[in-house]
């Protein structure tokens, strides 16, 4: 029986992909190569350093580890400037209603995000109190598809992995949830999420009673 709900952040609760793109683009501009929004697709859902590696590969740029850390930090400073403009209006449609329903039905809720900025984002969106536990990129060593972040989230809400339901928008995230032995609801594009147990376009009109029926 499902007792715990674990939410990915970016692409599920809020879409900060545009801000990630603008910040990485600024770095690409400085390094003097073109970086398009469609190329940015490959950077979604992966850790910051992995995203940097992909970006540098696109630009054909090689650099020392020290330089890479410096660039990742600069990108993060620009990204955090964009995050300051986030408000509760940026919460994706239906998410707030779904979180409220989860609390009413006494589910345990956790965040399972690769982002090191997860708490800042939840604060800006004013929804941090809806989560009983936050597992994020500051606490993990291994990136999705490794199950580490979801197992940590399950431990945080004292819920056995088999009784957890994960909400994910990225292929690596769906694989991570499956590797953790959890059920997965894919949110977004069905062609990317085919390994999920169920797929929905978003949280609008999505109700826990329907999911409970599907999880039987
Ligand atoms: P940060 P998620 C992920 O968040 C983003 O989808 C991904 O594009 C980003 O590189 C990663 O967080 C790290 O973010 O630079 O803020 O630590 O989808 O796992 O919630
Ligand atoms: Mg995501």
């Amino acid at each position: 029986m499902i007792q715990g709900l674990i939410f990915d952040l970016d692409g599920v609760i809020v879409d900060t992909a545009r801000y990630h793109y603008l910040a990485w683009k600024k770095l690409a501009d400085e390094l003097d190569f073109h970086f398009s929004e469609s190329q940015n697709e490959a950077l979604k859902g992966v850790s910051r350093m992995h995203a940097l590696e992909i970006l540098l590969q696109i630009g054909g740029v090689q650099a020392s580890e020290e330089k890479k850390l410096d660039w990742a930090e600069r990108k993060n400073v620009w990204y955090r400037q964009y995050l300051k403009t986030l408000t509760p209006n940026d919460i994706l449609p239906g998410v707030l209603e779904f979180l409220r329903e989860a609390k009413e039905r006494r589910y345990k809720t956790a965040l399972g995000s690769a982002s090191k900025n997860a708490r800042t984002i939840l604060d800006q969106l004013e929804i941090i109190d809806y989560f009983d536990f936050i597992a994020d990129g500051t606490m993990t060593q291994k990136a999705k598809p490794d199950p580490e972040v979801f197992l940590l989230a399950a431990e945080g809400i004292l819920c056995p992995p088999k009784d957890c339901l994960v909400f994910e928008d990225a292929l690596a995230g769906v694989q991570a949830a499956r590797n953790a032995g959890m059920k997965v609801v894919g949110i977004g594009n069905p062609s990317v999420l085919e390994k999920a147990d169920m797929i929905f376009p978003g949280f609008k009109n999505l109700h826990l009673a329907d999911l409970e029926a599907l999880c039987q």
Side-chain angles (χ1 to χ4, degrees):
M1 208 180 88
I2 299 301
Q3 298 172 33
L5 306 175
I6 305 178
F7 298 82
D8 174 51
L9 179 59
D10 194 16
V12 168
I13 289 175
V14 62
D15 194 0
T16 57
R18 172 106 194 123
Y19 298 154
H20 279 295
Y21 169 65
L22 292 172
W24 285 126
K25 168 105 178 55
K26 220 169 154 121
L27 181 65
D29 287 346
E30 280 197 359
L31 297 174
D32 213 17
F33 67 87
H34 181 71
F35 176 54
S36 70
E37 204 153 359
S38 66
Q39 286 171 321
N40 186 58
E41 285 301 308
L43 279 62
K44 285 187 181 175
V46 305
S47 71
R48 192 181 308 164
M49 289 313 286
H50 189 182
L52 176 68
E53 293 293 349
I54 298 170
L55 182 82
L56 296 181
Q57 212 169 19
I58 290 168
V61 176
Q62 293 196 337
S64 66
E65 281 312 303
E66 198 188 344
K67 199 80 217 155
K68 286 181 194 171
L69 285 171
D70 178 48
W71 286 338
E73 177 53 29
R74 279 159 62 75
K75 178 265 172 181
N76 193 48
V77 170
W78 293 323
Y79 174 64
R80 288 182 64 88
Q81 288 295 328
Y82 290 118
L83 290 185
K84 284 187 189 160
T85 68
L86 276 181
T87 74
N89 287 333
D90 293 300
I91 300 170
L92 289 172
V95 170
L96 199 54
E97 293 76 3
F98 192 85
L99 287 171
R100 284 193 186 126
E101 199 189 340
K103 288 286 116 188
E104 274 162 26
R105 295 172 91 96
R106 302 196 179 279
Y107 279 93
K108 294 179 199 161
T109 53
L111 193 83
S113 167
S115 176
K116 290 187 161 78
N117 295 297
R119 279 180 182 272
T120 306
I121 295 171
L122 293 179
D123 268 336
Q124 289 281 133
L125 299 177
E126 298 175 13
I127 52 171
I128 202 154
D129 293 341
Y130 282 95
F131 296 89
D132 299 313
F133 188 80
I134 293 165
D136 65 19
T138 64
M139 305 154 87
T140 51
Q141 303 297 321
K142 296 176 219 137
K144 301 169 187 176
D146 189 281
E148 186 183 16
V149 74
F150 290 138
L151 290 173
L152 207 65
E155 216 177 285
I157 53 175
L158 303 173
C159 190
K162 68 172 180 40
D163 296 330
C164 291
L165 187 60
V166 172
F167 297 85
E168 252 295 345
D169 71 307
L171 174 64
V174 171
Q175 289 169 334
R178 294 196 75 94
N179 289 338
M182 299 173 182
K183 288 206 169 64
V184 201
V185 176
I187 297 289
N189 185 349
S191 65
V192 187
L193 300 166
E194 56 187 21
K195 296 248 162 61
D197 296 286
M198 306 154 244
I199 305 169
F200 296 94
F203 283 93
K204 215 166 171 193
N205 302 321
L206 188 63
H207 295 286
L208 273 159
D210 303 332
L211 293 179
E212 282 159 5
L214 287 166
C215 286
Q216 294 293 313

